[in-house]
Amino acid sequence: SFSVLIIIYFLKENRTLLPVARRVFFIFLLLYFLAIIISLGARTITVALMVIIVLNMLQYARTQKSYKAFLFAILIPFIFIGFIFLHPIVKTRFMDMMKNSYENTNYGSYFARSKIWEPGMEVIKENFWFGVGTGDDQAELDKKFIKYNYLEGVENFNMHNQYLQTLLSAGIIGLLIFLLNFFIQMKKGFKERDLLYLSFIVLFMCGCITESMLCTHKGIVFFLVFSFIFYKSENKQCF
């Protein structure tokens, strides 16, 4: 998803310099990446990416006073919907979001997360201020899974939400520090008027809603490397 945003930024910044053949190539590459992302069925990131692209295009249309860019921004949701409906499994996953119970769904990932969050919230309430510690979070969560007879989750599932995961591990103080990190980065992004930086932060924050993004090495490396690059980069004045 972030690669898609990089390509869009590249096309916007080099719109008058690229030969037609290269522009066509990057547009096809963009559509190819979108098809892959949607086929993965990651609903939160897919919707977040769509909204971010639309907002980027609307900003571009405003600054360039381009009606073509404005019309393209309107078409973007239909492109996403088209890709979704072309993939029967992904279509079913999105349609499942309108169901009201686990039994009526085919994949039930949203309702599966609710089974994780309910026992997890009990641990959070018992350790609200300082959490259970980063080394004991899974052990404490497993105890609640057993209590709730959710044996599938034992040693398999974390909170699948980075905000709740941080709250469980480090308490409300840790969560506030975690959110402060996002605030500082977004403040810098707005100050430098850097849309790509802001898009990166918003995309990652949305990913944190349904995944514990910083519980894996690849998530930590991805976030820290790009955060450092953007934070130390020069003012690019993107809008």
Side-chain angles (χ1 to χ4, degrees):
S1 295
F2 186 48
S3 297
V4 167
L5 297 176
I6 290 173
I7 293 173
I8 291 173
Y9 171 78
F10 176 76
L11 288 171
K12 288 194 321 184
E13 292 299 302
N14 298 277
R15 58 189 178 276
T16 59
L17 302 176
L18 289 174
V20 174
R22 290 192 67 185
R23 271 184 283 174
V24 171
F25 167 76
F26 280 114
I27 290 171
F28 273 106
L29 185 63
L30 198 64
L31 293 173
Y32 175 67
F33 281 167
L34 285 177
I36 291 176
I37 292 164
I38 292 171
S39 68
L40 293 173
R43 292 166 293 191
T44 303
I45 287 296
T46 300
V47 173
L49 179 62
M50 181 189 72
V51 172
I52 291 169
I53 293 174
V54 169
L55 292 176
N56 270 273
M57 290 308 302
L58 288 175
Q59 181 275 331
Y60 177 75
R62 181 180 64 83
T63 55
Q64 299 298 316
K65 297 181 180 179
S66 170
Y67 290 105
K68 289 182 179 179
F70 179 76
L71 290 173
F72 184 67
I74 295 174
L75 287 174
I76 288 170
F78 294 98
I79 294 172
F80 273 79
I81 292 170
F83 276 127
I84 289 168
F85 274 83
L86 284 172
H87 199 299
I89 295 176
V90 176
K91 176 185 174 182
T92 303
R93 286 180 63 86
F94 274 85
M95 297 300 289
D96 277 354
M97 295 176 70
M98 295 185 287
K99 305 290 180 63
N100 57 13
S101 70
Y102 185 87
E103 289 73 20
N104 296 327
T105 64
N106 293 275
Y107 302 97
S109 57
Y110 168 77
F111 298 100
R113 281 174 171 79
S114 67
K115 287 188 174 182
I116 298 171
W117 292 339
E118 187 176 357
M121 287 303 296
E122 190 171 316
V123 181
I124 289 170
K125 289 177 182 177
E126 294 170 357
N127 304 272
F128 181 73
W129 290 104
F130 301 103
V132 299
T134 55
D136 298 319
D137 50 359
Q138 190 61 50
E140 293 299 318
L141 192 56
D142 286 344
K143 291 177 183 178
K144 297 301 180 182
F145 285 154
I146 294 171
K147 176 184 174 180
Y148 279 76
N149 198 32
Y150 185 50
L151 301 181
E152 183 184 353
V154 177
E155 296 185 359
N156 289 323
F157 295 141
N158 53 39
M159 286 294 288
H160 272 69
N161 178 300
Q162 187 58 56
Y163 306 106
L164 294 179
Q165 187 76 38
T166 304
L167 193 55
L168 186 149
S169 301
I172 188 65
I173 296 173
L175 178 62
L176 291 174
I177 294 171
F178 178 59
L179 294 175
L180 180 63
N181 172 72
F182 288 136
F183 173 77
I184 291 171
Q185 294 203 61
M186 292 195 72
K187 182 179 178 182
K188 181 176 174 64
F190 276 112
K191 182 180 179 181
E192 297 192 350
R193 306 174 71 184
D194 189 340
L195 268 181
L196 186 60
Y197 188 12
L198 291 170
S199 297
F200 162 72
I201 295 298
V202 171
L203 185 69
F204 193 86
M205 289 178 70
C206 290
C208 288
I209 295 172
T210 52
E211 298 294 338
S212 296
M213 301 285 284
L214 300 177
C215 283
T216 60
H217 290 155
K218 56 188 178 183
I220 294 170
V221 171
F222 171 75
F223 181 67
L224 288 182
V225 167
F226 282 107
S227 292
F228 177 79
I229 290 172
F230 278 119
Y231 198 81
K232 298 298 288 184
S233 64
E234 295 180 358
N235 191 332
K236 292 189 283 295
Q237 294 287 323
C238 295
F239 67 93

